[in-house]
Amino acid sequence: LHRVDRRQRQMCIRDSSKTIVPTSDSGAIVIDAGHDGRLYVGGTYAANESGVFVGGYSPTGTEEFLHVFSGGGEISDIELGSDNKLYVCGRFGGTELNLNGIVLKNQSTFFSGFAAKIDLNGDVDWGKIMGDRGLQMALDGSNTAYIAGYYQEATHSVGGTTLTNAGRLDVFISSISSQGETNWVKGYSSDSTDLARTITLGPDGALIFAGEATNAAFGVDPLGGAVFLAKTEPFADLAVPLPNTPRLSMSWEGGQLELSWDDTAEGFSVEATLSLTISFGDATPFLEPIPGRQNTFRVSTNTSAAYFRLVQP
């Protein structure tokens, strides 16, 4: 990590206007290898003030940017979306977290969880309260964020949905669109300690998440000890790679966007959708065959975005 004192396990972070003196409470917590080749780091700092930070580094470790936000707490997960925005989740312990003008108020006497979308210049598109802590998230192809964590209040509102706690900590998972709208929230509760630590999006569109919980939280007996692994029903029609399926490619040719695959491949057809939460279907409205060129199509520029996949009958 950038400027780490390994003997004291401290981290000094800085931007163009300040240097934050390292303390035992400062540190990088999570790192993401972005699709653009950069490394993205999130964490916590404490000095004359305290807060959270995100940083971008070249593959060789050169600092390219560093953005800090006051209010205490930590970033538990960070991921670069396909829109080149940073999606983060975590928690904060002050009375508020100031995300460059978007101020989140702490709903708890201890910590409040949060999620946010931040561009590489440090501007924040949106920020939301999310339980008592968002521990991890997964992004789909439309940059919908799926967040897993916990809450401990008797009742807790997440995105307009009120969750009721049966006791101690309870699990929540939530879906937030790339525009910051809460799609849904689901809680799992028992009178013991239940929390989700990790989440991923399976190839069939189902969410798989894991952590600690009792059998009462999921209504399964026996659950198998304090560790749980759960899977939702599929809710998104995602492209599942087929064995030996040709790779789709796009190129800009003569002022036109073209979609193509191996011209010797036979028995495949292409499908399209405007959102990964909508089933794939007829790609005709999006594609125009190019005469004389096998498996090559001109892509319509009348739509702002579309997803394509190859299928076999």
Side-chain angles (χ1 to χ4, degrees):
L1 297 178
H2 191 63
R3 297 190 65 188
V4 175
D5 181 340
R6 295 187 178 183
R7 293 169 299 173
Q8 301 182 32
R9 295 186 180 274
Q10 298 173 348
M11 184 174 182
C12 178
I13 65 173
R14 57 183 172 76
D15 62 17
S16 60
S17 62
K18 68 179 74 173
T19 296
I20 301 170
V21 179
T23 76
S24 59
D25 295 325
S26 300
I29 293 175
V30 65
I31 189 167
D32 176 51
H35 57 76
D36 60 356
R38 288 190 181 102
L39 301 174
Y40 295 96
V41 177
T44 181
Y45 71 88
N48 296 327
E49 61 181 41
S50 62
V52 298
F53 72 88
V54 296
Y57 299 83
S58 72
T60 60
T62 301
E63 182 181 290
E64 297 186 351
F65 67 80
L66 185 72
H67 308 304
V68 296
F69 309 98
S70 62
E74 61 194 53
I75 288 177
S76 300
D77 202 3
I78 185 170
E79 188 166 343
L80 181 68
S82 60
D83 54 0
N84 291 320
K85 301 292 184 76
L86 292 173
Y87 293 78
V88 302
C89 66
R91 65 179 180 176
F92 65 99
T95 57
E96 62 184 35
L97 177 66
N98 190 336
L99 298 171
N100 274 2
I102 297 177
V103 179
L104 303 180
K105 300 291 185 180
N106 195 336
Q107 298 182 359
S108 169
T109 56
F110 191 44
F111 283 101
S112 274
F114 77 97
K117 178 180 178 181
I118 305 169
D119 73 20
L120 303 188
N121 295 319
D123 296 324
V124 179
D125 289 358
W126 53 259
K128 301 180 75 69
I129 296 293
M130 193 58 49
D132 283 351
R133 186 177 185 182
L135 273 168
Q136 197 175 64
M137 65 182 175
L139 293 181
D140 69 12
S142 63
N143 296 307
T144 297
Y146 304 96
I147 299 172
Y150 66 83
Y151 69 100
Q152 64 178 343
E153 289 77 16
T155 59
H156 190 83
S157 178
V158 178
T161 298
T162 299
L163 302 177
T164 301
N165 191 326
R168 301 187 183 180
L169 304 180
D170 278 338
V171 172
F172 81 86
I173 59 174
S174 180
S175 168
I176 303 177
S177 75
S178 63
Q179 290 76 40
E181 300 295 329
T182 301
N183 296 322
W184 50 260
V185 179
K186 178 67 175 177
Y188 303 89
S189 182
S190 78
D191 60 4
S192 188
T193 295
D194 314 296
L195 64 145
R197 292 189 178 274
T198 185
I199 190 168
T200 189
L201 188 65
D204 60 352
L207 287 171
I208 303 165
F209 57 109
E212 298 104 70
T214 64
N215 62 321
F218 292 90
V220 178
D221 190 14
L223 189 57
V227 175
F228 79 86
L229 176 65
K231 181 179 180 179
T232 69
E233 292 294 326
F235 59 89
D237 186 3
L238 302 180
V240 180
L242 297 172
N244 303 316
T245 300
R247 180 181 296 274
L248 282 172
S249 63
M250 283 192 175
S251 60
W252 192 259
E253 303 289 343
Q256 296 286 340
L257 185 63
E258 294 183 0
L259 176 76
S260 63
W261 64 93
D262 185 356
D263 59 9
T264 64
E266 297 180 352
F268 293 94
S269 60
V270 63
E271 293 183 340
T273 183
L274 290 175
S275 171
L276 292 178
T277 61
I278 303 174
S279 297
F280 280 80
D282 182 18
T284 302
F286 304 96
L287 302 175
E288 176 187 348
I290 298 179
R293 298 176 62 185
Q294 184 72 15
N295 300 339
T296 304
F297 298 82
R298 185 171 292 113
V299 180
S300 170
T301 57
N302 295 328
T303 55
S304 58
Y307 302 89
F308 300 94
R309 71 175 184 183
L310 286 178
V311 296
Q312 288 178 306

